[in-house]
Amino acid sequence: MAFDFPSEEWTQAYFNAINSDPNYKEAGKTWTYGALAFVVSKEPSIGLAEEKAFILDLHQGVCRKAWISNLEEAQKQPFVITGTYAQWKAVMKKELDPIKGMMQGKLKLKGNLPIIVKHVKAAQVLVENCSKVPTRFLDEK
Amino acid sequence: MDYGADLGFTFVHTPKVVFGENALAEVGALLADLGASRALLVTDRFLAEKTDLLTRLRKAAAGRIAGEFLDVVPDPTAESIDRAAELGKSVGADAVVSLGGGSAIDTGKGLAVVLTEGGKVLDHEGYHALPRPLIPHLAIPTTAGTGSEMTMVTVITDPARGQKTFIGSYFLHPNVAVLDPTCTRNLPPLLTAATGMDAMAHAVEALISTLRQPFSDACALAAIRSVMTFLPRSVSDGTDMVARGQMLIAAAQAGSAFSNAMVSLNHAMVHSLGARFHKHHGTLNAVLLPHTMRFFAPDVGERFVWVAQAMGVSASAADPVAAGLAAADRMAKLNSEIGLPSRLSELGIPREALGEVAELSLSDGSIIYSPRPIMDAAEVLSVLERAY
């Protein structure tokens, strides 16, 4: 069964994928810097009237909580990464490396960049997990 | 040409570059073009008190400088930028003029952020998160090396967290870079050599980075050619304004190259050694660069053939590894010709610290752009050991 991206169901499936992956336990074990919020820019043409965010509370190789939220709550997190629907889709399909995407301005980061790039392996595993979630994209409906 | 159908890139080159001996005299007109009448000048005490640059700049600005912040510090701190911003607000600054090396220009970039967006500078840490263009920034480099006048990043030290952080945005590029060779005339030979080799490292690393692209390649190769010819001349005769000028251009070209293509392992090691032992950034780049080139010689195909040719080294495309090794040897010889050390041991760095430096380098952001993935500290250590 595929889940709409972004949605609460998709976020919970992602949460499960992260926590069932021993690679993330290892790669993310030095992450102690708080939650990451991933913001999808609004795009009314595909049904996203407002920005949507999914937030991952990551700590030492474990995702403690994951939830779908809004822009206001996302902006309170220590790291906020914003992209268009197409850019997030490219990340999930492993067509866009998220760190390189940030450096090239395709994704916008609010937060401490060196901390993010120091955890490049963890970022790669998170993308790997993300790509494992059966996903139905809004622009393909 | 080693690009294929998957080539895709963004190249941004924002500053208007104004070059020429005594280009400093154009600052007033350039500020007027930017619509600025109350600029805040940022520089350091040495340049303000020991050179004639501030006097010349004041005259050139023709009353368009409303305040002067003379307390730029090396490795600019958030606190120093916020202090400059307070001064800027108090005088109603509508533009920034930065005069100095990378620290002054980075301070100017942070200042432009705060004067545009408000708050404190650390409120804006992030990459491509600034929402709008900043107030105008005119940068005047007094060294030929960092290329900061061409880049979209400012590095800020936050002593409270014991960290360096970044603000990166296309809006952070200075609007104008004034490249005036007379502004670098006071730089002593050793600093001229070391800063020049920083530019060389920017160029070589941009050429082999995973984000390399045709526009940054062109800038980098031009910079390498110029450094080979004009750095030895600038070092041996600091009053040679032709050489000084060509070095300023080379540093700006290398800055534009690495602002788009990034740097890699060499700078990762330099950042780590610099953080641990506070040695000069350019000198560390110079010492390590030949060793980094030998390390990557098997990995970068024809790239080092181009580098060798730009350096005036005979190189055949049929044997790119040999070309890389020959270019590395020439790089080491250049260091020697301009009076720079060739070994880390000469800089007073203890050998037993190299393992720690290798680990630290592995977590430096630059390393991810290396031409092949470096995941093992032992690989970094092997380069450091050879450079020792």
Side-chain angles (χ1 to χ4, degrees):
Chain A
M1 176 191 173
F3 305 101
D4 283 351
F5 172 79
S7 65
E8 184 62 43
E9 295 73 25
W10 184 91
T11 304
Q12 290 314 310
Y14 188 25
F15 170 84
N16 292 334
I18 294 167
N19 284 332
S20 59
D21 182 1
N23 290 334
Y24 183 71
K25 263 191 183 57
E26 178 62 25
K29 68 183 178 189
T30 56
W31 181 267
T32 56
Y33 303 95
L36 285 102
F38 302 86
V39 177
V40 186
S41 302
K42 63 182 170 187
E43 205 164 324
S45 64
I46 57 168
L48 281 176
E50 297 297 334
E51 289 88 353
K52 274 208 168 179
F54 59 99
I55 301 174
L56 304 179
D57 178 10
L58 301 166
H59 186 73
Q60 295 184 326
V62 174
C63 184
R64 297 189 292 201
K65 189 181 169 195
W67 69 103
I68 195 91
S69 188
N70 55 27
L71 182 62
E72 190 184 354
E73 187 180 16
Q75 285 177 333
K76 292 176 185 161
Q77 309 308 317
F79 297 89
V80 186
I81 306 172
T82 304
T84 64
Y85 198 84
Q87 284 157 343
W88 285 122
K89 187 174 165 182
V91 170
M92 292 159 71
K93 291 190 162 195
K94 295 200 277 186
E95 295 163 357
L96 174 64
D97 177 286
I99 307 273
K100 287 182 182 167
M102 282 177 216
M103 304 307 288
Q104 294 172 326
K106 292 173 181 168
L107 301 172
K108 301 179 192 318
L109 167 73
K110 187 89 180 67
N112 186 306
L113 178 71
I115 289 175
I116 295 282
V117 294
K118 277 177 190 171
H119 293 83
V120 63
K121 279 190 220 170
Q124 286 167 346
V125 178
L126 283 175
V127 171
E128 195 64 41
N129 294 150
C130 191
S131 68
K132 287 181 197 158
V133 177
T135 301
R136 190 167 49 230
F137 292 105
L138 300 180
D139 60 348
E140 291 177 2
K141 276 187 170 178
Chain B
M1 210 279 288
D2 56 358
Y3 293 115
D6 61 343
L7 176 64
F9 64 86
T10 302
F11 181 81
V12 178
H13 176 96
T14 296
K16 169 178 173 177
V17 176
V18 179
F19 173 83
E21 205 170 319
N22 295 316
L24 191 63
E26 296 178 41
V27 163
L30 292 166
L31 285 172
D33 287 349
L34 292 168
S37 58
R38 299 188 58 76
L40 182 70
L41 167 71
V42 294
T43 190
D44 61 53
R45 292 268 164 200
F46 177 83
L47 288 174
E49 293 168 4
K50 305 288 185 192
T51 73
D52 66 349
L53 289 176
L54 190 53
T55 308
R56 288 172 59 200
L57 181 55
R58 283 179 187 137
K59 186 177 169 197
R64 291 181 184 276
I65 290 178
E68 295 174 352
F69 180 79
L70 308 180
D71 294 323
V72 166
V73 292
D75 300 323
T77 60
E79 184 272 335
S80 70
I81 295 169
D82 287 331
R83 253 187 321 120
E86 284 307 311
L87 176 61
K89 286 176 205 161
S90 72
V91 301
D94 60 4
V96 174
V97 174
S98 57
L99 173 75
S103 296
I105 297 172
D106 274 7
T107 299
K109 290 173 180 172
L111 177 59
V113 171
V114 180
L115 290 179
T116 305
E117 296 296 332
K120 303 276 188 187
V121 71
L122 288 179
D123 296 339
H124 306 287
E125 67 177 340
Y127 230 72
H128 294 293
L130 294 175
R132 60 183 71 81
L134 307 179
I135 63 166
H137 177 189
L138 186 151
I140 310 165
T142 59
T143 64
T146 71
S148 182
E149 68 277 11
M150 305 299 285
T151 69
M152 47 162 274
V153 169
T154 183
V155 184
I156 301 160
T157 300
D158 178 12
R161 289 186 295 180
Q163 284 176 350
K164 285 194 175 187
T165 189
F166 291 78
I167 304 175
S169 167
Y170 295 137
F171 297 135
L172 217 56
H173 282 106
N175 302 70
V176 180
V178 175
L179 307 184
D180 180 344
T182 67
C183 293
T184 64
R185 184 166 42 200
N186 295 304
L187 206 61
L190 204 56
L191 272 178
T192 301
T195 50
M197 288 306 289
D198 187 22
M200 178 65 103
H202 292 154
V204 172
E205 291 209 271
L207 271 170
I208 62 173
S209 141
T210 53
L211 288 184
R212 64 186 186 264
Q213 40 133 312
F215 285 88
S216 58
D217 288 349
C219 287
L221 286 167
I224 292 170
R225 285 187 204 102
S226 293
V227 173
M228 288 306 293
T229 304
F230 296 107
L231 183 56
R233 273 176 59 177
S234 298
V235 172
S236 66
D237 178 5
T239 66
D240 180 343
M241 287 298 107
V242 172
R244 290 286 198 189
Q246 291 300 317
M247 276 306 299
L248 269 174
I249 295 169
Q253 288 170 321
S256 192
F258 93 87
S259 186
N260 285 279
M262 302 296 159
V263 286
S264 60
L265 172 64
N266 208 69
H267 267 77
M269 294 186 294
V270 166
H271 293 154
S272 304
L273 283 163
R276 182 72 179 75
F277 298 106
H278 308 288
K279 301 296 178 188
H280 190 270
H281 180 81
T283 304
L284 289 168
N285 263 304
V287 170
L288 290 170
L289 189 57
H291 304 280
T292 302
M293 291 172 70
R294 289 184 189 114
F295 180 73
F296 284 134
D299 304 306
V300 299
E302 66 184 303
R303 296 260 142 191
F304 280 156
V305 177
W306 300 358
V307 172
Q309 289 169 346
M311 295 179 77
V313 173
S314 173
S316 162
D319 192 349
V321 176
L325 297 176
D329 290 347
R330 182 68 188 93
M331 200 65 81
K333 188 162 173 269
L334 175 64
N335 282 338
S336 160
E337 287 166 1
I338 58 178
L340 290 175
S342 61
R343 304 250 144 233
L344 291 176
S345 53
E346 295 173 58
L347 300 176
I349 293 165
R351 183 167 219 142
E352 56 272 21
L354 297 185
E356 178 197 342
V357 170
E359 286 288 348
L360 204 56
S361 305
L362 216 51
S363 63
D364 185 276
S366 306
I367 206 164
I368 64 174
Y369 304 104
S370 297
R372 66 179 166 81
I374 311 284
M375 298 291 187
D376 187 349
E379 289 191 279
V380 184
L381 184 59
S382 74
V383 183
L384 291 166
E385 286 283 3
R386 282 184 203 121
Y388 197 78

